[in-house]
């Protein structure tokens, strides 16, 4: 709870996505990627069925400038196309099978464009979006994705995030109304980190789940500084328990359904700890 009514960074978030002391949000990593092929419409359908609060997706740009939803720089693992996404046309990706690698039951699943996902999101108004921009982006490159988000009415429930300071800065410049979060992988001095967050006008900081071990108290200090905190990618009860004790606002997980069930059994608002 806040001691005063002063403005804090997480106030930049839409009301529906602001930290709530009695709720840890369930964030489906690449959709419900334990139940369906990651970053596909099938995975997003499964995330909704699992009761997720937000869906995390990865965005890259194809050779012809189309924003598509795919994690790896190479299309090989999920589509069988042995080429960089940045060097592959959107037409070639759209024709690829992005589901058979996961299970024959998903043969024919496709790599969706951001526009297609935004259209799907418009039909699911209760889902929030954590949109990771993979690699370095310029303000010019962000114009298309931002337009799709706004055009389909997702701007009030979307957070843009990235590892690259350049990318988050570009998001700040081209879409100051869309909240931003910085992804953090390795250890960093806390004052340096918060300085960077302040410069970027970020609302949140989303660290790898290993950082609380390397930097004890990180989540608590970030929360005290007013930032929302969504660690990633946590898939086991002991990890969920540690995150709850640390006071995070949400958990990014490949197992949203299991996490929701675990929360219902193990978590009560205001509890001093969460059992594993």
């Amino acid at each position: 709870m806040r001691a005063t009514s002063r403005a804090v960074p997480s106030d930049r978030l839409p009301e529906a996505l602001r930290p709530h002391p009695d709720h840890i949000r369930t964030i489906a990593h690449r959709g419900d990627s334990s139940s369906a092929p990651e970053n596909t419409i099938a995975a997003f359908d499964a995330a909704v069925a699992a009761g997720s609060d937000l869906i995390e997706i990865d965005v890259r740009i194809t050779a012809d400038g189309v924003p598509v939803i795919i994690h790896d720089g190479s299309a090989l693992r999920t589509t069988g196309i042995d080429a960089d996404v940045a060097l592959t046309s959107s037409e070639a990706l759209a024709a690829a099978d992005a589901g058979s690698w996961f299970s024959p039951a998903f043969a024919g699943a496709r790599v969706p464009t951001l526009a297609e996902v935004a259209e799907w999101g418009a039909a699911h108004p209760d889902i929030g979006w954590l949109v990771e921009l993979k690699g370095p982006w310029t303000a010019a490159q962000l114009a298309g994705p931002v337009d799709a988000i706004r055009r389909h009415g997702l701007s009030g429930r979307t957070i843009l995030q990235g590892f690259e300071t350049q990318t988050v800065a570009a998001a700040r410049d081209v879409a100051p109304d869309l909240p931003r979060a910085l992804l953090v992988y390795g250890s960093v001095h806390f004052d340096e980190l918060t300085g960077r967050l302040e410069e970027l006008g970020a609302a949140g900081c989303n660290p790898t789940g290993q950082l609380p071990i390397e930097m004890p108290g990180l989540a608590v200090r970030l929360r005290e500084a007013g930032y929302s905190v969504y660690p990633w990618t946590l898939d086991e009860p002991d990890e969920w328990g540690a995150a709850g004790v640390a006071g995070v606002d949400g958990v990014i997980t490949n197992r949203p359904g299991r996490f929701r069930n675990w929360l219902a059994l193990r978590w009560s608002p205001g509890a001093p700890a969460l059992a594993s």
Side-chain angles (χ1 to χ4, degrees):
M1 299 290 289
R2 296 175 193 165
T4 71
S5 59
R6 67 181 179 85
V8 297
S10 61
D11 287 343
R12 300 181 179 117
L13 293 168
E15 184 66 37
L17 298 181
R18 289 179 186 170
H20 193 289
D22 297 335
H23 183 53
I24 298 177
R25 291 189 172 88
T26 301
I27 305 159
H29 185 235
R30 310 176 196 173
D32 185 350
S33 51
S34 65
S35 300
E38 63 183 59
N39 280 324
T40 64
I41 297 299
F44 306 152
D45 286 336
V48 171
S52 305
D53 297 299
L54 295 94
I55 295 174
E56 185 268 353
I57 60 175
D58 305 290
V59 186
R60 292 185 180 275
I61 301 178
T62 62
D64 48 339
V66 177
V68 294
I69 311 306
I70 188 169
H71 178 271
D72 297 358
S74 167
L76 181 61
R77 179 173 63 88
T78 57
T79 72
I81 298 175
D82 190 7
D84 290 345
V85 173
L87 302 177
T88 305
S89 71
S90 57
E91 182 179 7
L93 280 178
D97 180 348
S100 292
W101 69 272
F102 185 88
S103 166
F106 292 100
R110 303 302 176 193
V111 175
T113 65
L114 179 60
E116 290 169 340
V117 172
E119 183 176 0
W120 181 94
H124 297 81
D126 294 330
I127 285 288
W129 294 92
L130 192 56
V131 178
E132 181 178 346
L133 303 161
K134 304 298 288 185
W137 288 63
T138 65
Q141 289 172 323
L142 273 167
V146 167
D147 177 69
I149 289 167
R150 287 177 172 156
R151 183 160 25 93
H152 292 282
L154 306 188
S155 56
R157 47 194 170 102
T158 296
I159 302 170
L160 303 177
Q161 68 172 4
F163 285 100
E164 303 275 352
T165 301
Q166 167 192 334
T167 295
V168 181
R172 175 199 62 200
D173 295 343
V174 75
D177 57 309
L178 295 182
R180 300 163 297 283
L182 182 67
L183 287 159
V184 181
Y185 184 75
S187 296
V188 63
H189 190 279
F190 185 76
D191 290 341
E192 177 186 338
L193 175 59
T194 52
R196 192 184 313 166
L197 293 169
E198 183 176 356
E199 179 183 352
L200 293 169
C205 180
N206 300 336
T208 176
Q210 299 305 311
L211 270 193
I213 298 173
E214 300 175 12
M215 299 177 65
L218 175 64
V220 171
R221 295 183 70 187
L222 285 169
R223 287 294 310 279
E224 289 175 346
Y227 296 98
S228 68
V229 182
Y230 298 154
W232 49 277
T233 305
L234 310 181
D235 291 335
E236 301 298 335
D238 60 338
E239 297 175 326
W240 300 336
V245 170
V248 302
D249 301 301
V251 166
I252 301 172
T253 179
N254 293 308
R255 299 173 173 177
R258 295 183 190 181
F259 177 63
R260 290 272 296 188
N261 291 338
W262 180 88
L263 276 178
L265 292 171
R266 300 290 188 178
W267 169 249
S268 61
L274 290 91
S276 60

